[in-house]
Amino acid sequence: MDLTGLKEKFDRDGFVVIDNVFTPEELDGLKKRMGEIVDEMNPDDHPKSTFSTYDEDKHAADTYFLESADKIRFFYEEGSIGEDGNLVVPKELAFNKVGHALHWLDNTFKNFTFQNNVKEIIRKVGYEKPEIVQSMYIFKQPKIGGAVTDHIDGTFLQVEPINNVMGVWIPVDDATQENGCLWFIPGSHKVNTVDYRFVRTHTTEPNKPLLTFRGRKLVFDQERFIPVPIKRGSLVLIHGLVAHKSEPNTSEKSRHAYTFHIVDSNNTVWCKDNWLQSTETYKFPNLYEN
């Protein structure tokens, strides 16, 4: 793991890839554990909630999603559920992602997330009080793994100052152009404001959306995106304001990834309108202190 020039590259481009952070055994352990979690999951105990960045209204109305900050919950891939509400693919191939408290509620993911390699990288960026606010295991299933449209994480996780959020993205499988690697616009994080937000409506009226998008939707120049294939064992840091996306997985190979988001809580305000909130019994854990 070579961290030479890490902060300089991150500040310049808004993302940086670090090679040789994790061992194949560690990543095999994550994939094995997620297989167990999926195997133990009873579909009858959970709503068949799909996750789509295209259908914003459906996503925004989903209470199951809203209340997942301190739980492990399951979100299906579009195309995995038939018109009759039953799965049209095997359960182990049906999910888009599992989130959002894997890093705290499951020992395998907790030990992986809070390891010294990760702490060393985040210290190198300069975060003083990093709190992990959410985690996700993303499947990007063969043939049906949907696109993640171009966006910035700051739309979904709002803080003041706006710069103090970062994503940590870890390929559990090799991420290639064929199976849906990340694409970035280098330097696009150098902005002063963020207008487009995914926020709570705070409504108490029945049948009204609990979440909505506000502001003018961001539009990015597609010609400026560059693909960033990433080998398993690597880690990519993603600035909360850098534009990124991934294309559908049309290949025969999966593109599993584990990702979590960190806020530097030192002199930072977490927006009360964020969909993601701590609770009376769950506070965002400090990376360095766990």
Side-chain angles (χ1 to χ4, degrees):
M1 184 176 73
D2 184 3
L3 303 185
T4 304
L6 183 153
K7 189 173 190 312
E8 291 76 11
K9 295 173 188 174
F10 185 69
D11 290 344
R12 181 191 68 205
D13 296 332
F15 70 95
V16 62
V17 177
I18 305 153
D19 296 323
N20 303 314
V21 180
F22 308 106
T23 67
E25 291 75 19
E26 286 178 299
L27 298 170
D28 290 344
L30 281 192
K31 182 176 278 193
K32 178 176 181 292
R33 178 58 190 141
M34 181 50 62
E36 294 169 350
I37 290 171
V38 169
D39 188 56
E40 294 163 4
M41 178 264 195
N42 183 351
D44 293 337
D45 295 337
H46 301 261
K48 290 186 172 66
S49 176
T50 59
F51 181 82
S52 169
T53 54
Y54 289 114
D55 191 346
E56 296 179 347
D57 289 337
K58 179 172 62 178
H59 185 189
D62 199 339
T63 304
Y64 184 72
F65 170 83
L66 177 66
E67 297 176 349
S68 63
D70 59 348
K71 300 175 180 67
I72 296 175
R73 288 191 160 173
F74 302 81
F75 301 89
Y76 289 87
E77 190 67 70
E78 285 204 310
S80 66
I81 302 172
E83 293 182 3
D84 60 359
N86 294 319
L87 296 181
V88 298
V89 296
K91 184 176 70 167
E92 63 271 17
L93 297 178
F95 296 109
N96 172 287
K97 68 173 186 174
V98 173
H100 288 98
L102 282 165
H103 62 282
W104 196 245
L105 298 181
D106 182 86
N107 284 335
T108 298
F109 281 88
K110 185 176 184 179
N111 291 336
F112 183 89
T113 305
F114 289 88
Q115 65 174 274
N116 288 332
N117 274 359
V118 173
K119 293 177 182 180
E120 184 179 354
I121 290 168
I122 303 307
R123 282 195 177 97
K124 204 75 171 174
V125 177
Y127 271 36
E128 296 180 7
K129 293 179 63 178
E131 294 178 355
I132 299 179
V133 298
Q134 69 162 349
S135 55
M136 299 176 284
Y137 192 94
I138 303 171
F139 294 90
K140 205 77 164 180
Q141 308 285 9
K143 292 297 185 183
I144 65 169
V148 175
T149 52
D150 44 8
H151 69 284
I152 64 170
D153 293 339
T155 288
F156 302 92
L157 304 172
Q158 181 180 358
V159 296
E160 292 294 341
I162 60 174
N163 291 300
N164 289 0
V165 171
M166 173 171 54
V168 177
W169 197 91
I170 299 157
V172 179
D173 299 313
D174 288 346
T176 68
Q177 281 192 245
E178 291 70 34
N179 70 358
C181 71
L182 297 175
W183 294 62
F184 291 93
I185 298 181
S188 56
H189 63 300
K190 297 176 182 178
V191 297
N192 296 320
T193 61
V194 177
D195 179 54
Y196 192 51
R197 300 290 194 183
F198 181 60
V199 295
R200 293 175 178 243
T201 62
H202 301 287
T203 184
T204 57
E205 297 181 44
N207 302 318
K208 293 290 186 180
L210 300 176
L211 292 152
T212 190
F213 286 86
R214 288 184 184 149
R216 182 163 52 183
K217 189 169 185 177
L218 299 170
V219 178
F220 301 103
D221 181 357
Q222 299 300 307
E223 297 297 320
R224 295 178 59 204
F225 277 99
I226 62 168
V228 182
I230 308 170
K231 289 286 188 181
R232 74 191 305 250
S234 303
L235 174 154
V236 58
L237 296 179
I238 304 173
H239 193 286
L241 302 178
V242 73
H244 59 289
K245 66 177 183 176
S246 67
E247 301 296 341
N249 182 4
T250 58
S251 78
E252 300 286 351
K253 296 181 179 180
S254 66
R255 196 228 63 187
H256 289 200
Y258 175 57
T259 182
F260 52 93
H261 286 86
I262 299 173
V263 58
D264 190 350
S265 62
N266 189 47
N267 298 318
T268 299
V269 177
W270 183 258
C271 180
K272 62 180 175 54
D273 292 335
N274 282 337
W275 74 268
L276 182 71
Q277 297 291 334
S278 59
T279 69
E280 290 184 3
T281 58
Y282 171 72
K283 306 303 177 187
F284 300 143
N286 185 295
L287 175 66
Y288 298 156
E289 295 175 0
N290 290 279

